[in-house]
Amino acid sequence: YTDIDADRPATTSSEVITRVIRRHIGFDGLLMSDDIGMSALSGAMGLRARAALAAGCDVVLHCSGEMSEMIAVAESVAPMSDAADARFKRARAMVRSPEAFDAAAADHHITELLKAAPA
């Protein structure tokens, strides 16, 4: 990735997300970050979350389960943008059971999201 952005990892790079993923590849689906707890990122969790969203991610993954970190992330980010919300709604419409998708998203159970995905 250093040829695209020598200063930032892909998760926080608008060059990678906007120029490559959105424009060059043409992906217009819901884009989730990597786990913001990964060692490639530095700074407080809230700063990491804001950086991923500012770079163009629609959703930020925080996987450690540390309550203090989850609170910091939730307090640090704005509500989902209209564009991200539209992509979320398109993703939701693609599953066999939107209700299962909603329940899994509310409970943060990715395994349930995968079960709800089309075969």
Side-chain angles (χ1 to χ4, degrees):
Y1 297 109
T2 56
D3 286 347
I4 299 168
D5 189 333
D7 299 319
R8 289 177 296 282
T11 297
T12 59
S13 171
S14 61
E15 285 295 305
V16 171
I17 293 172
T18 303
R19 186 168 59 98
V20 176
I21 296 172
R22 295 287 189 203
R23 290 187 191 138
H24 180 72
I25 295 172
F27 180 73
D28 191 35
L30 187 72
L31 188 63
M32 292 183 221
S33 73
D34 288 333
D35 178 12
I36 60 169
M38 67 180 147
S39 59
L41 300 178
S42 60
M45 289 298 158
L47 294 173
R48 294 176 186 197
R50 283 198 309 269
L53 294 172
C57 290
D58 296 316
V59 177
V60 174
L61 296 180
H62 174 269
C63 303
S64 75
E66 291 291 325
M67 184 58 75
S68 62
E69 291 178 356
M70 293 188 301
I71 291 169
V73 169
E75 291 177 346
S76 297
V77 298
M80 188 178 279
S81 71
D82 290 343
D85 185 55
R87 288 188 282 266
F88 173 82
K89 288 175 180 169
R90 283 198 319 266
R92 181 182 181 274
M94 295 172 63
V95 299
R96 280 184 261 150
S97 171
E99 295 78 18
F101 184 92
D102 291 345
D107 291 339
H108 310 289
H109 292 295
I110 191 67
T111 55
E112 293 301 318
L113 285 173
L114 294 173
K115 287 179 190 174

